[in-house]
Amino acid sequence: MSIDRRNFFKTIGIAGVTLAVGKSAGATSTESSKTEFRGMLFDATRCAGCLECEIACAKAHNQPEPTDELKVDVLRKTSEVKRCAINYHTTSKGEVLVRNQCMHCNEPACAAACLTQAMYKTKEGPVIWRGNKCMGCRYCMVSCPFDVPKFEYFSANPKIEKCDMCYDRIMKGQIPTCAEACPAEALIFGTRRELLTEARKRIAENPEGYVDQVFGETVAGGTAFLYLSPAPFNEIGFNTKLQNSSYPALTKGFLYSVASVDVLLPALLLGIYSATKKNQSKEEENE
Amino acid sequence: MNKTRIITAKEHIPTFSWQFLFNELKPRGKWLTPFNIISIPIILLGFGLIVLRFWKGIGAVTNLTQEVPWGLWIGFDVVTGVAFAGGAYVVTFMVYILNMKQYHSIVRVTVLNGFLAYAFYTGALLIDLGRPWNVVNPIIGNNYGTSSVMFLVAWHFLLYMLAELFEFSPAIAEWLGLKRARKILAGMTIGAVIFGITLSTLHQSGLGALFLMAKEKIHPLWYSEFIPILFLVSSIFAGLSMVIFEGSISHKVFFDQISEKNKKAHNGIIHGLSKICAVTMFAYFFLQLLVFLHEQNWTLINTPMGYWFLVEMIGFVLIPMALFFYSYRTANIFTIKLAAILTMIGVVLNRLNVSIIGFRWDAAIPYIPSWMEIVVTLAVIFTEIWIFRWVINRMPVLRESPSWAKDDNH
Ligand code: SF4
Ligand code: SF4
């Protein structure tokens, strides 16, 4: 069989399909990063450990209210029935309370991982989960550097659970229920820019009281949740080895190469194919 | 190619009818073989466990945790299984693109193996999905997560299954006696092959790229930005070792189906494949070494995980590679088969080390698969072998094509 015209077009057609697929695949979502993301600032020097935010969160999301006691250095984890958790750490600066929940990354690994955009960075800032899209592959859990998304393993209709910064409340013009519940104003809500300025101001006004770092400013490419702490962040349960650049960027190289491989490789293969075919027909003639 | 073939036996062209299909669906041969006795109860048990999983949730049958959300079903069934199915794209590349005719007799069986592997791993994937009813979302556009590696892998997976089906379809047409359809399908082979190789390159490396964002979660000896390349290169010898291994079993089990000519050629084929294994393993080992030096992992070697890394690299890459090189000269079939088995163990180790063993190796509660996960995995593999056997016994896969289909070489 020589490469007649019909086959040639067939192969070109297939190459064309790859081209189209490659193109759509190469295009990355250019989330308008200029919109003012909303965020939250947690100031560990102000938290009193009253768990009011946890209770409000549980109520708002139909989850069991916390019944356990807050004890020093006994880790309380978030789970599929608990979106946020206050923890008590012994540090070089004494005992420090810190709150854990989704960081609402500027460039979330979970959302980049999700093949259906069920995990989604809204233009308002919160990273939300959309059940009508999610297929439960748990790739978001694999990818999140903070181990935030949780999965309902014991349900026939499992959901991914994580803090959504009370997205529905924000859309109604309210503030997240935890920030509303916090009696000590340890947790405040605002635009990320305002909060960063506020955090910087607090450090400047009281350099003795804080470590000179706003956690969340750069980690993982920046997060909407920002932290102030009197003690180094690795002493209050944060993994300070996490990279400062965005996690989705780690896959960019691969994603970009997909389009070009999809286009160039078929052409190359077709070339080799015709070359070896020609050789063979020559050989056959000589036989 | 077969211009001089003398037609001896009276060839019978089956005509397509429902009666024929119905007869073909019935099992053939003896029932109480050792394989059946072992596999039937496991398949039944596995099926029961799958029912339990959909009834009570994934946690009811697996040991997965919030920290380790992917276990045996992904790490072994999908990530490892796909590497072993890599033989199909390598062999079709050799035969159709490089025109290495001597390997033609193994194309169909390799493609069939690849296709079934993909079909069944997709099945295994559905069991592992928490919300499988949404599985069509990335296909119908609810939504297209174009920045997701998994999205690309899923599409390349799906299209590759189609390509493999096209590559294999002439055999189905021959079985059903559909002359015209066969001619059309055979004409599409080369397109399917080119398409298939491209798709394979990307999803083999894509499976590695899935883990790129889990940077701090995977043990540094197994994490690097080069995982995609390492996965791609190792899929070449993983796939070919599987072809060698599967070929030597098929040649025993389906002895009566294979023509004298192909029986004689088989050792030559195995020897040829072993050479490719040797060279690609060398490239792979070299790459691993470069990555190791680049990441400056020296201090990690003197730890338990470091010893484990050495076991993988020396015991199951370096040694089988040496064996492959040794048989380069001696053409010792036994050595080649031994090397193929060691290589396969090495690939299993590598994939599990990236996806399970090295993944959150520091987790407070380490993940160890439950017996139920293992049974389901075995059930999937056994069912696949059942289908494989069913096809081999009916379609011209190992057997020569019927004479009416001999006009060209597809
Ligand atoms: S912390 Fe994790 S779950 Fe939250 S936005 Fe970032 S990557 Fe997503
Ligand atoms: S589990 Fe759901 S939300 Fe998470 S990556 Fe998969 S589809 Fe997206």
Side-chain angles (χ1 to χ4, degrees), chain A residues 110 113-119 129-130 133-141 149 151 160, chain B residues 131 150:
Chain A
C110 60
C114 184
L115 72 172
T116 60
Q117 295 183 341
M119 274 298 180
W129 175 80
R130 303 183 287 185
K133 301 187 190 294
C134 172
M135 51 195 243
C137 67
R138 308 188 293 286
Y139 185 32
C140 49
M141 302 169 72
F151 181 75
I160 296 278
Chain B
R131 307 164 66 83
M150 172 101 75

Side-chain angles (χ1 to χ4, degrees), chain A residues 77 147, chain B residues 65 67-68 217 359-367:
Chain A
K77 285 187 171 180
D147 272 338
Chain B
T65 65
E67 279 85 31
V68 186
K217 301 188 185 185
F359 188 89
R360 290 311 306 268
W361 78 103
D362 51 355
I365 318 155
Y367 161 80

Side-chain angles (χ1 to χ4, degrees), chain B residues 68-93:
Chain B
V68 186
W70 284 355
L72 196 69
W73 291 349
I74 299 292
F76 184 78
D77 299 19
V78 180
V79 177
T80 312
V82 167
F84 284 135
Y89 84 93
V90 182
V91 171
T92 51
F93 176 69

Side-chain angles (χ1 to χ4, degrees), chain A residues 7 9 37 49 54 57 69 99 228 259 273:
Chain A
N7 276 305
F9 282 123
F37 283 157
E54 278 191 23
C57 177
E69 235 182 278
R99 189 176 192 273
L228 283 174
Y273 166 75

Side-chain angles (χ1 to χ4, degrees), chain A residues 102-105 108-110 127 144-146 148-149 162:
Chain A
C102 174
M103 300 290 287
H104 298 279
C105 309
C110 60
V127 176
C144 168
F146 302 97
V148 166
K162 74 170 201 63

Side-chain angles (χ1 to χ4, degrees), chain B residues 51-339:
Chain B
V51 172
L52 182 65
R53 172 258 168 274
F54 280 107
W55 181 31
K56 293 273 180 188
I58 294 176
V61 288
T62 71
N63 279 349
L64 293 172
T65 65
Q66 300 294 354
E67 279 85 31
V68 186
W70 284 355
L72 196 69
W73 291 349
I74 299 292
F76 184 78
D77 299 19
V78 180
V79 177
T80 312
V82 167
F84 284 135
Y89 84 93
V90 182
V91 171
T92 51
F93 176 69
M94 288 158 59
V95 172
Y96 292 111
I97 305 296
L98 296 184
N99 214 349
M100 296 159 86
K101 284 277 148 44
Q102 64 272 37
Y103 297 101
H104 195 265
S105 63
I106 60 167
V107 166
R108 273 194 182 169
V109 67
T110 313
V111 170
L112 174 65
N113 244 320
F115 176 72
L116 290 180
Y118 279 96
F120 277 84
Y121 303 145
T122 321
L125 204 70
L126 286 182
I127 306 170
D128 192 74
L129 287 184
R131 307 164 66 83
W133 50 89
N134 278 342
V135 71
V136 291
N137 278 352
I139 300 164
I140 61 171
N142 181 21
N143 290 8
Y144 295 129
T146 45
S147 60
S148 165
V149 176
M150 172 101 75
F151 176 79
L152 290 175
V153 172
W155 267 99
H156 281 76
F157 234 71
L158 201 75
L159 293 175
Y160 183 54
M161 272 173 64
L162 268 182
E164 277 193 317
L165 191 60
F166 272 112
E167 286 168 22
F168 187 72
S169 59
I172 302 177
E174 283 166 25
W175 166 59
L176 296 174
L178 303 173
K179 260 187 156 176
R180 239 191 92 68
R182 189 200 166 278
K183 214 173 157 49
I184 299 170
L185 291 171
M188 290 162 84
T189 299
I190 190 66
V193 164
I194 289 181
F195 202 29
I197 296 167
T198 311
L199 294 166
S200 290
T201 320
L202 287 167
H203 74 241
Q204 292 286 359
S205 50
L207 278 181
L210 281 183
F211 294 94
L212 285 177
M213 281 194 282
K215 192 179 176 195
E216 287 83 12
K217 301 188 185 185
I218 295 173
H219 192 279
L221 282 169
W222 284 278
Y223 181 91
S224 79
E225 58 189 298
F226 302 103
I227 305 182
I229 309 239
L230 292 171
F231 267 45
L232 176 64
V233 176
S234 53
S235 77
I236 299 175
F237 55 79
L240 291 183
S241 295
M242 186 67 178
V243 172
I244 295 173
F245 178 74
E246 172 273 321
S248 43
I249 292 181
S250 289
H251 269 244
K252 287 209 183 72
V253 179
F254 304 108
F255 189 78
D256 49 331
Q257 296 210 14
I258 301 166
S259 72
E260 277 309 315
K261 192 179 105 223
N262 285 346
K263 269 178 203 154
K264 285 210 193 82
H266 191 62
N267 280 356
I269 289 180
I270 287 190
H271 186 214
L273 295 180
S274 78
K275 288 182 187 169
I276 303 173
C277 285
V279 175
T280 45
M281 282 180 98
F282 180 75
Y284 175 73
F285 187 77
F286 193 69
L287 267 172
Q288 282 279 13
L289 195 70
L290 284 182
V291 171
F292 180 80
L293 296 176
H294 175 82
E295 306 273 321
Q296 302 182 323
N297 283 334
W298 287 108
T299 47
L300 295 170
I301 281 296
N302 201 7
T303 63
M305 285 310 259
Y307 306 145
W308 183 232
F309 181 73
L310 289 181
V311 168
E312 182 194 320
M313 284 304 140
I314 296 174
F316 297 100
V317 179
L318 208 56
I319 291 180
M321 180 184 95
L323 290 177
F324 276 132
F325 269 117
Y326 169 75
S327 54
Y328 217 114
R329 298 245 161 150
T330 54
N332 182 328
I333 295 299
F334 174 77
T335 323
I336 296 177
K337 284 181 187 165
L338 178 69

Side-chain angles (χ1 to χ4, degrees), chain A residues 57-99:
Chain A
C57 177
K59 275 194 189 136
H61 304 107
N62 296 321
Q63 288 175 329
E65 288 177 32
T67 50
D68 55 334
E69 235 182 278
L70 194 56
K71 286 199 199 105
V72 183
D73 290 332
V74 178
L75 191 64
R76 299 169 72 239
K77 285 187 171 180
T78 58
S79 73
E80 69 273 30
V81 291
K82 190 174 175 59
R83 293 185 175 187
C84 56
I86 300 283
N87 275 296
Y88 215 164
H89 297 273
T90 334
T91 71
S92 51
K93 300 276 174 192
E95 282 154 9
V96 176
L97 285 151
V98 67
R99 189 176 192 273

